[in-house]
Amino acid sequence: MLRLGFTLVVLMVSAPLWAQSEAAKRDDKPGPFGVAVVEDLRLMDKKRDKELRVRVTFPKASTPKPGSTGPAPAPHAVIVWSHGMFGSKDAYMPLVEFWASHGFVVLQTSHRDSRAHGDLSAAQAGKAWNDRPRDVTFLIDSLGEIETKVPALKGRIDKTRIGHGGHSFGAHTATLIGGVKANTFRESLSFRDKRVKCVFVCSGQGPGGLFTEKSFQSLEVPAFFLTGTKDVSPRNGHTPEWREQAFKLSPKGDKYFVSIDGAHHGFGGITGKARWAGSGPDNADEVRIVKIATLAFFEAFVRDVESAKAYLNSDAPSNAGEKTKIRYERK
């Protein structure tokens, strides 16, 4: 049994007994749905005169496989996922296909800083920070068009149940979409999209740059923050302790935090085949932990699944790894 690393910050109402028993059953097995992919859907944002190339990963059938148990039939909830700096829409398959197998429609686009658009310096890529949340909002605006262009999804997207998440620079995007304010020299900017019910912040940012300590006080939606004890930025040397500040400075209420012992910036391979300096070695157990945490969180706050909420509000996330120690907190 792993040692419990858990801090209960706010007293919470106990979940029903049936939900508590369900909480302990979570694993990283594929869900009951087959998975289909449209790899390069083109959408035109006329307001910005910008074409977005989008990857759509979704449940292949409108109902679960015969004999299986799982999420309700269509319409399916939506996850918009943002890649890290220089990444692309074609990464993170270990996570994306897992979510789709559990009944989510997953949307990814290659943001302006992606190497898919050509080589940029880190400074040039960083300037695209405010274009990223606009991409996310445009994707949500385009759900109807996506149904039209992907006939297999016609009538199968639940436009009222949407979550967003991202890794590294994508986590920066997720916090903006969730309501964290960006402070420029001239003004404080909000990119909050109220259609997004929750945000998953994987290896996110603490105070500094565009974010002050007060910026995080406006993150009122449910949020899950994840880092690792070796999650040091390959670009600027920021530490896991700095990343944890986003959780500590955010307001109380449906906020969750996991630190994976020994995890680097790549969390054992959540990006799939993509590797870079500082991403760290492959580790299937770390990938397992991220899968379980993300699915539980999106099910809890996008789908309102009671057993997922019970899982998050128990000590079970501390034991999600088979060989890996986890520190888990909530408030």
Side-chain angles (χ1 to χ4, degrees), residues 176-248:
L176 290 172
I177 287 291
V180 172
K181 294 181 179 179
N183 293 276
T184 68
F185 290 112
R186 296 181 179 180
E187 57 187 337
S188 178
L189 300 175
S190 175
F191 294 86
R192 170 79 178 108
D193 192 315
K194 293 184 179 180
R195 295 169 295 183
V196 172
K197 292 181 173 292
C198 62
V199 292
F200 196 98
V201 182
C202 184
S203 193
Q205 293 72 30
L210 294 166
F211 296 156
T212 67
E213 291 190 357
K214 292 184 178 179
S215 296
F216 298 94
Q217 295 175 5
S218 55
L219 184 63
E220 296 181 352
V221 298
F224 198 120
F225 304 85
L226 187 142
T227 187
T229 59
K230 296 184 179 180
D231 181 15
V232 178
S233 171
R235 188 167 69 88
N236 53 29
H238 280 310
T239 65
E241 291 75 20
W242 174 75
R243 300 187 190 285
E244 186 176 350
Q245 288 301 305
F247 166 71
K248 291 182 175 180

Side-chain angles (χ1 to χ4, degrees), residues 131-144:
D131 197 56
R132 284 169 150 261
R134 293 186 175 103
D135 287 346
V136 174
T137 289
F138 175 72
L139 287 176
I140 297 171
D141 290 340
S142 303
L143 289 176

Side-chain angles (χ1 to χ4, degrees), residues 196-318:
V196 172
K197 292 181 173 292
C198 62
V199 292
F200 196 98
V201 182
C202 184
S203 193
Q205 293 72 30
L210 294 166
F211 296 156
T212 67
E213 291 190 357
K214 292 184 178 179
S215 296
F216 298 94
Q217 295 175 5
S218 55
L219 184 63
E220 296 181 352
V221 298
F224 198 120
F225 304 85
L226 187 142
T227 187
T229 59
K230 296 184 179 180
D231 181 15
V232 178
S233 171
R235 188 167 69 88
N236 53 29
H238 280 310
T239 65
E241 291 75 20
W242 174 75
R243 300 187 190 285
E244 186 176 350
Q245 288 301 305
F247 166 71
K248 291 182 175 180
L249 294 169
S250 64
K252 295 178 181 179
D254 298 325
K255 301 299 189 302
Y256 305 88
F257 173 82
V258 156
S259 176
I260 303 174
D261 188 46
H264 293 72
H265 197 58
F267 297 93
I270 62 170
T271 56
K273 296 180 180 179
R275 294 292 187 275
W276 63 92
S279 63
D282 289 349
N283 187 312
D285 204 28
E286 291 175 9
V287 176
R288 167 192 166 86
I289 293 165
V290 180
K291 282 181 175 181
I292 292 173
T294 51
L295 181 63
F297 180 69
F298 287 131
E299 284 191 340
F301 294 104
V302 179
R303 282 207 191 112
D304 294 321
V305 175
E306 288 299 325
S307 61
K309 292 178 182 179
Y311 175 82
L312 294 174
N313 292 326
S314 72
D315 64 353
S318 299

Side-chain angles (χ1 to χ4, degrees), residues 10 49 57 81 116 126 140 160 191 209 223 275 293 315 325:
V10 178
D49 191 26
T57 308
W81 184 257
I140 297 171
T160 69
F191 294 86
R275 294 292 187 275
D315 64 353
K325 190 175 180 180

